[in-house]
Amino acid sequence: MRDFKGIQRIIIKVGSSSLVNKDLSINQPMIVGIMQSFKELSDKGINVALVSSGAIASGMHELGLTKKPKEMSLKQACAAIGQSKLMEAYNKAADIYGLKTGQILVNHDDFQIRKRMNYLSDTLDAMFKNNIIPIINENDALAVEEIKVGDNDTLASLISPMINADLLILFSDIDGLFDKNPKIYKDAKLIDVVNEINADIINMAGDKTTEVGTGGMQTKINAARISTSAGANMIICNSNQIKNLCDIVAGKEIGTLFKASKNQISSREHWIIYKANSMGNIIIDDGLKDALKKKKVSILSKGIIDVNGDFLKGMIITINDKNGNVIGKGISNYSSTEIRLLEGHESKDSKEILGYEGKKEIIHANDLVLLKEGL
Ligand code: GLU
């Protein structure tokens, strides 16, 4: 058994391919199964939030479409039609078990502004306190490229720390992570536990995507990185295991478990690195990169080689090395125009170069979040 003692809150994501039948009609027995498992959890005093896909697929069914529309507005219309059908199905199933649900639709820009993100957290908290199950999806009816999260594995992993989830479970049409592609290799083995997401794990993920949904294995590994860094465990397992949800939460070894990181980052750091959009980037030299490998130090102008993009002071920017690897993200104390003038110079010369005195650091160590895999 896995050691999952003291679980209070969990977040479940169910993919489109599990929620609709082959003809894209809603798979009502699956929805009833989800609510039945939620009832068992609720009887144990465990809060659960659901991230549910399936809006576009069930909207396509309503409109008699068999292929995902390429036209953005038609896709959005499908989402609008399908989302209400989905909620109808969930509410019908929830009634059977005396449960209550509420709908939350979000886009990426709801995370971009921290204040707005905090309002979302408060709403979710109030729902839990009133025994309402939040049913969350991307607001696909309004989602355009610039503001969308894009897939619900990522969306669930972004919400996970906002509700202080102990566990995120991604239910999909696959049993978990395999050491090689199980569709090609008969001897592929299911990985039981991943302690650390390293290059080997990323290689195992390959590039498998499902026909109906959006998220493939790479997306799921990325979701694992986002949720485990915030201190939650994450499981990938087959949606035919939803009936065993209580056992999974009790620690039964089903699917692949990605263990919560021991070096948990704060919610502010999580916001900087995973939620906020980067408005530009700076390239640093090898000397500064080596220093960052040893210790998180502030980024000074001397170690900067180049700047890209147009950003203002206070915006989030990415830090890259010479080869384009992402080393981290941080809040810039200077605009891109100012950094262009300061790059390569000693901090003490900044007053002379700019004609006014600013901060010594381009990015202060406290406003900097490093990505281990980039260093
Ligand atoms: N939000 C999409 C929908 O409800 C699904 C996204 C995904 O498959 O990850 O149709």
Side-chain angles (χ1 to χ4, degrees):
M1 290 291 270
R2 293 164 177 159
D3 180 18
F4 283 167
K5 274 181 216 85
I7 285 193
Q8 296 281 307
R9 273 191 187 173
I10 66 168
I11 176 160
I12 305 289
K13 180 259 173 175
V14 189
S16 301
S17 55
S18 312
L19 290 166
V20 296
N21 300 307
K22 281 221 164 63
D23 67 352
L24 302 183
S25 59
I26 291 177
N27 182 345
Q28 193 66 25
M30 170 63 81
I31 299 229
V32 172
I34 294 172
M35 287 301 153
Q36 187 180 6
S37 297
F38 284 9
K39 168 73 176 149
E40 288 167 27
L41 285 178
S42 135
D43 288 346
K44 292 195 157 124
I46 297 173
N47 288 145
V48 57
L50 172 68
V51 174
S52 170
S53 302
I56 297 176
S58 59
M60 284 164 60
H61 176 73
E62 290 301 309
L63 294 183
L65 303 173
T66 47
K67 280 213 168 84
K68 217 183 215 178
K70 288 210 164 58
E71 196 189 328
M72 178 68 97
S73 54
L74 186 55
K75 206 159 42 182
Q76 290 175 320
C78 284
I81 298 159
Q83 182 64 29
S84 64
K85 282 279 161 202
L86 264 183
M87 285 312 289
E88 203 178 299
Y90 279 118
N91 284 329
K92 211 161 118 192
D95 279 349
I96 304 174
Y97 301 101
L99 300 171
K100 286 196 165 57
T101 70
Q103 171 184 271
I104 298 269
L105 299 177
V106 289
N107 288 125
H108 194 272
D109 56 344
D110 292 303
F111 301 107
Q112 175 73 14
I113 299 159
R114 270 198 103 203
K115 207 157 132 192
R116 228 159 108 182
M117 192 182 89
N118 292 338
Y119 289 141
L120 174 59
S121 274
D122 291 348
T123 307
L124 289 165
D125 205 46
M127 289 174 88
F128 287 133
K129 287 192 176 120
N130 287 282
N131 292 319
I132 309 290
I133 300 165
I135 300 188
I136 306 161
N137 196 357
E138 176 125 44
N139 193 0
D140 295 302
L142 296 182
V144 285
E145 219 44 64
E146 306 81 66
I147 60 157
K148 71 177 186 186
V149 177
D151 72 88
N152 277 350
D153 296 327
T154 309
L155 180 63
S157 67
L158 292 174
I159 300 228
S160 169
M162 291 167 61
I163 60 166
N164 294 319
D166 307 292
L167 176 65
L168 162 63
I169 309 176
L170 303 180
F171 282 107
S172 175
D173 50 6
I174 37 168
D175 295 337
L177 176 68
F178 286 83
D179 59 352
K180 45 193 166 187
N181 188 342
K183 283 187 185 141
I184 303 171
Y185 302 98
K186 286 225 160 60
D187 61 340
K189 282 192 193 65
L190 182 73
I191 311 279
D192 176 32
V193 185
V194 173
N195 289 306
E196 195 196 5
I197 301 165
N198 52 28
D200 290 345
I201 298 297
I202 292 164
N203 285 340
M204 281 174 202
D207 190 24
K208 290 164 257 159
T209 48
T210 59
E211 302 255 309
V212 186
T214 313
M217 191 47 92
Q218 295 281 6
T219 319
K220 288 177 176 49
I221 302 288
N222 199 38
R225 200 198 303 276
I226 298 173
S227 53
T228 57
S229 68
N233 286 306
M234 192 192 99
I235 292 173
I236 301 176
C237 72
N238 200 302
S239 46
N240 60 20
Q241 297 289 346
I242 282 188
K243 55 183 182 303
N244 298 320
L245 181 56
C246 270
D247 290 342
I248 298 174
V249 174
K252 193 167 176 195
E253 281 131 351
I254 294 176
T256 302
L257 165 67
F258 293 78
K259 279 209 169 161
S261 163
K262 289 195 183 84
N263 306 314
Q264 187 181 334
I265 59 175
S266 69
S267 77
R268 183 170 179 272
E269 289 174 317
H270 202 266
W271 176 73
I272 292 177
I273 197 87
Y274 295 121
K275 297 191 177 96
N277 275 339
S278 174
M279 308 313 280
N281 73 323
I282 52 172
I283 320 285
I284 60 164
D285 65 20
D286 290 341
L288 180 51
K289 183 177 171 180
D290 286 344
L292 287 168
K293 257 188 213 166
K294 290 188 201 112
K295 196 173 161 230
K296 190 160 88 170
V297 291
S298 295
I299 297 203
L300 305 180
S301 46
K302 182 101 179 80
I304 299 176
I305 313 173
D306 204 358
V307 195
N308 295 303
D310 287 311
F311 52 87
L312 300 172
K313 170 184 171 175
M315 286 182 168
I316 306 275
I317 58 169
T318 304
I319 300 110
N320 293 95
D321 68 9
K322 281 192 318 206
N323 302 321
N325 298 313
V326 175
I327 286 173
K329 275 167 82 183
I331 304 174
S332 180
N333 285 331
Y334 287 94
S335 71
S336 48
T337 316
E338 290 167 320
I339 301 176
R340 271 185 197 104
L341 296 170
L342 296 173
E343 68 185 36
H345 293 282
E346 297 284 349
S347 315
K348 64 176 171 46
D349 298 333
S350 72
K351 190 173 174 192
E352 203 184 315
I353 296 168
L354 297 175
Y356 50 86
E357 186 135 34
K359 289 194 174 148
K360 187 175 145 219
E361 308 84 10
I362 300 289
I363 300 175
H364 192 280
N366 292 341
D367 296 329
L368 175 66
V369 188
L370 297 173
L371 273 180
K372 214 177 74 195
E373 56 272 28
L375 280 167

